[in-house]
């Protein structure tokens, strides 16, 4: 009986290991099935396609739900201070405060300074997602400074981005690229420090990069 129980335990362990391996391979296969040309530079992760009920349609005397497919995933990035230390608890959102935006959820940075903005975007009639918007960093920093006495003022308060996913080509692109966003600790009644020459140079280089972002998409054609 002991030997039989041991064998059953080994079989159960092997089954668990194989099932875990199968799930891992399935996740990798799913990612490979969705994206074969990835130009998002690790800014867009955990992609999936889901169907949502977005209305109803009538077929003869029957009423059936109407489904729309959505691309879901996360835009991720990092926020640090001027000494390159990660900053926790900084609000990051897409679009201006007060602006209704059901496609992007606001978020805050974790203890590693990492933020993950969840998105859910419907496909257009050409089976693509093509979105232009902006990421806003610490939009409430002035209110926090005035009410709490301290806050973090971002060096770049917002950055535009262009997110494209072409389902037929399995192409994913994100024009802003991988970057860190810097914030500076400020207190009530304290003036913000002036940018150093190095910071200005970096900012000008970033502005040039953003200005030329559309050229990246033009290289692929397809009217991006």
């Amino acid at each position: 009986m002991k030997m039989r129980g041991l064998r059953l335990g080994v079989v159960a362990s092997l089954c668990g290991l194989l099932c875990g391996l199968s799930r891992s391979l399935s996740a990798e296969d799913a990612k490979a099935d969705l994206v074969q040309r990835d130009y998002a530079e690790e800014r867009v992760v955990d992609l999936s396609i889901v169907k949502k009920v977005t209305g109803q349609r009538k077929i003869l005397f029957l009423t059936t739900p109407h489904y729309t497919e959505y691309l879901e995933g996360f835009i991720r990035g990092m926020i640090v201070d001027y000494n390159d230390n990660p900053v926790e608890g900084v609000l990051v959102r897409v679009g201006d405060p007060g602006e209704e935006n059901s496609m992007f959820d606001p978020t805050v940075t974790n203890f590693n300074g990492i933020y993950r903005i969840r998105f859910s975007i419907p496909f257009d009639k050409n089976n693509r997602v093509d979105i232009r918007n902006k990421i806003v960093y610490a939009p409430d920093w002035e209110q926090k400074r005035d009410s709490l006495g301290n806050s973090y003022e971002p060096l770049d308060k917002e950055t535009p981005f262009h997110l494209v996913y072409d389902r037929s080509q399995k192409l994913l692109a994100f024009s802003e690229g991988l970057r860190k966003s810097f914030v500076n600790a400020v207190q009530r009644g304290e003036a913000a420090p002036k940018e150093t020459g190095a910071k200005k140079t970096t900012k000008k280089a970033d502005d040039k990069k953003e200005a030329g972002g559309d050229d990246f998409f033009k290289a692929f054609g397809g009217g991006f």
Side-chain angles (χ1 to χ4, degrees), residues 123-180:
F123 282 92
D124 61 19
K125 61 181 180 180
N126 296 317
N127 218 14
R128 293 190 307 174
V129 165
D130 191 338
I131 294 291
R132 297 174 185 268
N133 211 313
K134 61 182 179 180
I135 298 178
V136 181
Y137 308 99
D140 57 348
W141 72 271
E142 291 176 298
Q143 292 89 337
K144 283 187 176 181
R145 179 199 58 191
D146 295 340
S147 60
L148 302 178
N150 58 76
S151 181
Y152 287 99
E153 179 184 7
L155 176 63
D156 295 318
K157 295 178 173 57
E158 59 185 48
T159 54
F161 70 86
H162 187 186
L163 171 62
V164 170
Y165 176 69
D166 190 308
R167 193 173 182 180
S168 61
Q169 299 184 42
K170 297 184 179 180
L171 181 148
L172 174 69
F174 191 80
S175 65
E176 190 200 25
L178 184 63
R179 62 180 296 160
K180 293 179 182 178

Side-chain angles (χ1 to χ4, degrees), residues 52-85:
K52 298 182 181 181
V53 178
T54 55
Q56 294 181 336
R57 60 180 180 180
K58 289 185 176 181
I59 302 177
L60 297 178
F61 301 103
L62 299 176
T63 300
T64 60
H66 174 71
Y67 293 93
T68 300
E69 289 189 315
Y70 284 72
L71 179 71
E72 295 192 344
F74 295 86
I75 298 173
R76 70 176 181 180
M78 173 180 285
I79 289 184
V80 299
D81 62 17
Y82 285 7
N83 295 316
D84 211 34
N85 299 314

Side-chain angles (χ1 to χ4, degrees), residues 7-22:
R7 288 177 178 173
L8 289 175
V10 171
V11 171
S13 299
L14 287 174
C15 287
L17 180 62
L18 291 174
C19 288
L21 180 60
S22 176

